């Protein structure tokens, strides 16, 4: 148990939740794909896709690839849409990774990861709160060249669920890439649970993201090591030190929510 005053945690969590509940960017419109309302498209992305003949405006709603239904043809057209956004400079980078497009639990298709936020599409992120046996929390500092939140502190492991991945498979993959932890080292891990749906304005669009988290206590000899070059520092910190950094705005919003929610659950 961590001897943190509950009032401090509740106040901090309420502040973080308010930051995670922003309306869509000004000028964004609802996005429809295959008859499903699934996103919020930025003005720049609207213009690019309409000019490319890939979207239409109807009653204040942008219809992406109107008339197409889920299947290989729609996925091919979504690839065209991502390229149109890239050529119009609507994307922040290009990852060559596909993420699934969901609406109310239904899978509609998959599109390039960089296109998700200009279209305001739902993403899913899995995080791991990894503890030492003596009650310190393993955390990681993001690389300085990361497109989002460079140099900020983060959970030890956190990443988006790829196309066709289960939540647990995505977390195990991210543990290997970001912390050098393989499945046998995670056998005592708790189940993933949903924290909240984050909604935040970003320069490239709208982040709509379900945050899910798991926890584990690593073996005393565990030494997490980054493998993918996206982390510049890993440390095991006392909880008070972590909370001080959260309160100072040194952690990403997602990580702050995941960590403080965990402390509320366990205190």
């Amino acid at each position: 148990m961590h001897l943190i005053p509950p009032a401090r945690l509740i106040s901090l969590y309420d502040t973080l939740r308010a930051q995670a509940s922003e309306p869509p960017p000004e000028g964004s419109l609802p996005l429809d794909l295959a008859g499903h309302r699934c996103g919020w498209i930025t003005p720049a992305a609207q213009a690019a896709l309409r000019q490319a003949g890939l979207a239409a405006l109807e009653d204040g709603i942008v219809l992406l690839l109107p008339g197409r239904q889920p299947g290989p043809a729609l996925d091919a057209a979504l690839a065209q849409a991502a390229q149109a956004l890239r050529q119009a400079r609507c994307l922040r980078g290009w990852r060559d990774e596909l993420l699934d497009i969901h609406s109310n639990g239904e899978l509609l298709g998959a599109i390039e990861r960089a296109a998700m936020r200009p279209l305001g599409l739902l993403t899913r992120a899995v995080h791991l709160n990894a503890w030492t046996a003596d009650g310190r929390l393993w955390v990681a500092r993001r690389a300085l060249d990361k497109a989002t939140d460079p140099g900020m502190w983060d959970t030890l492991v956190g990443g988006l669920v790829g196309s066709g991945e289960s939540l647990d498979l995505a977390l195990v993959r991210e543990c290997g890439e970001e912390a050098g932890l393989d499945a046998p080292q995670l056998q005592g891990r708790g189940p993933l649970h949903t924290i909240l749906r984050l909604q935040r304005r970003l320069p490239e669009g709208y982040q709509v993201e379900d945050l899910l988290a798991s926890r584990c206590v690593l073996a005393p000899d565990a030494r997490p090591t980054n493998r993918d070059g996206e982390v510049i520092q890993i440390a095991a910190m006392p909880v008070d030190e972590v909370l001080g950094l959260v309160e100072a705005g040194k952690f990403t919003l997602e990580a702050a929510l995941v960590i403080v929610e965990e402390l509320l659950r366990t205190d």
Side-chain angles (χ1 to χ4, degrees), residues 141-191:
R141 188 169 172 233
R142 296 164 67 86
L144 299 177
D145 59 357
K146 293 281 286 183
T148 304
D149 297 328
M152 296 190 74
W153 285 98
D154 208 337
T155 52
L156 178 64
V157 173
L160 297 183
V161 179
S163 177
E165 278 190 315
S166 69
L167 298 174
D168 286 302
L169 179 61
L171 183 59
V172 171
R173 173 182 55 76
E174 290 286 347
C175 285
E177 293 173 358
E178 296 193 347
L181 299 173
D182 298 317
Q185 296 168 281
L186 304 170
Q187 288 181 351
R189 178 178 67 80

Side-chain angles (χ1 to χ4, degrees), residues 111-126:
I111 195 169
E112 157 65 29
R113 171 174 170 163
M116 298 297 280
R117 289 172 182 170
L119 300 177
L121 298 169
L122 174 66
T123 53
R124 297 175 298 165
V126 289

Side-chain angles (χ1 to χ4, degrees), residues 2-5 8-9 12 131 135-137 236-248 251 259 263 267:
H2 309 287
L3 302 178
I4 306 295
R8 180 185 179 189
L9 294 174
L12 181 54
W131 296 90
R136 290 172 295 146
L137 183 64
M237 292 186 184
V239 170
D240 248 344
E241 185 176 346
V242 171
L243 281 181
L245 290 171
V246 168
E247 290 166 335
F251 270 82
I259 291 167
L263 295 175
D267 268 24

Side-chain angles (χ1 to χ4, degrees), residues 193-213:
H193 68 278
T194 301
I195 296 174
L196 53 69
R197 178 165 294 177
L198 180 148
Q199 296 171 298
R200 180 172 61 161
R201 296 183 178 196
L202 293 176
E204 66 271 30
Y206 197 36
Q207 180 183 8
V208 182
E209 190 159 288
D210 283 344
L211 298 182
L212 298 102

Side-chain angles (χ1 to χ4, degrees), residues 9-256:
L9 294 174
I10 292 169
S11 175
L12 181 54
Y13 191 65
D14 287 345
T15 298
L16 295 169
R17 284 193 63 175
Q19 295 173 22
S21 301
E22 294 183 337
E26 186 175 353
S28 295
L29 291 176
L31 181 71
D32 180 285
L33 177 66
H36 293 262
R37 192 75 58 82
C38 60
W40 287 90
I41 181 170
T42 65
Q46 295 171 38
L49 293 177
R50 291 181 67 188
Q51 185 174 0
L54 299 172
L57 181 62
E58 184 177 293
D59 297 328
I61 299 171
V62 175
L63 307 180
L64 177 59
L65 305 168
R68 305 288 182 95
Q69 294 302 309
L74 178 58
D75 285 336
L78 286 167
Q80 285 183 303
Q83 288 293 344
L85 293 172
R86 185 182 193 183
Q87 291 167 12
R89 301 180 182 275
C90 294
L91 306 186
R92 197 170 190 177
W94 185 269
R95 299 294 295 266
D96 272 327
E97 296 177 31
L98 293 178
L99 299 187
D100 287 334
I101 302 172
H102 291 273
S103 177
N104 296 321
E106 184 170 343
L107 176 62
L108 304 180
I111 195 169
E112 157 65 29
R113 171 174 170 163
M116 298 297 280
R117 289 172 182 170
L119 300 177
L121 298 169
L122 174 66
T123 53
R124 297 175 298 165
V126 289
H127 289 260
L128 179 71
N129 280 316
W131 296 90
T132 65
D134 62 0
R136 290 172 295 146
L137 183 64
W138 285 103
V139 291
R141 188 169 172 233
R142 296 164 67 86
L144 299 177
D145 59 357
K146 293 281 286 183
T148 304
D149 297 328
M152 296 190 74
W153 285 98
D154 208 337
T155 52
L156 178 64
V157 173
L160 297 183
V161 179
S163 177
E165 278 190 315
S166 69
L167 298 174
D168 286 302
L169 179 61
L171 183 59
V172 171
R173 173 182 55 76
E174 290 286 347
C175 285
E177 293 173 358
E178 296 193 347
L181 299 173
D182 298 317
Q185 296 168 281
L186 304 170
Q187 288 181 351
R189 178 178 67 80
L192 281 160
H193 68 278
T194 301
I195 296 174
L196 53 69
R197 178 165 294 177
L198 180 148
Q199 296 171 298
R200 180 172 61 161
R201 296 183 178 196
L202 293 176
E204 66 271 30
Y206 197 36
Q207 180 183 8
V208 182
E209 190 159 288
D210 283 344
L211 298 182
L212 298 102
S214 173
R215 77 181 310 274
C216 72
V217 177
L218 296 181
D221 61 350
R223 294 294 180 270
T225 304
N226 182 249
R227 290 173 176 169
D228 63 8
E230 296 189 1
V231 166
I232 56 173
Q233 184 180 355
I234 292 177
M237 292 186 184
V239 170
D240 248 344
E241 185 176 346
V242 171
L243 281 181
L245 290 171
V246 168
E247 290 166 335
K250 302 298 183 182
F251 270 82
T252 69
L253 177 58
E254 298 95 320

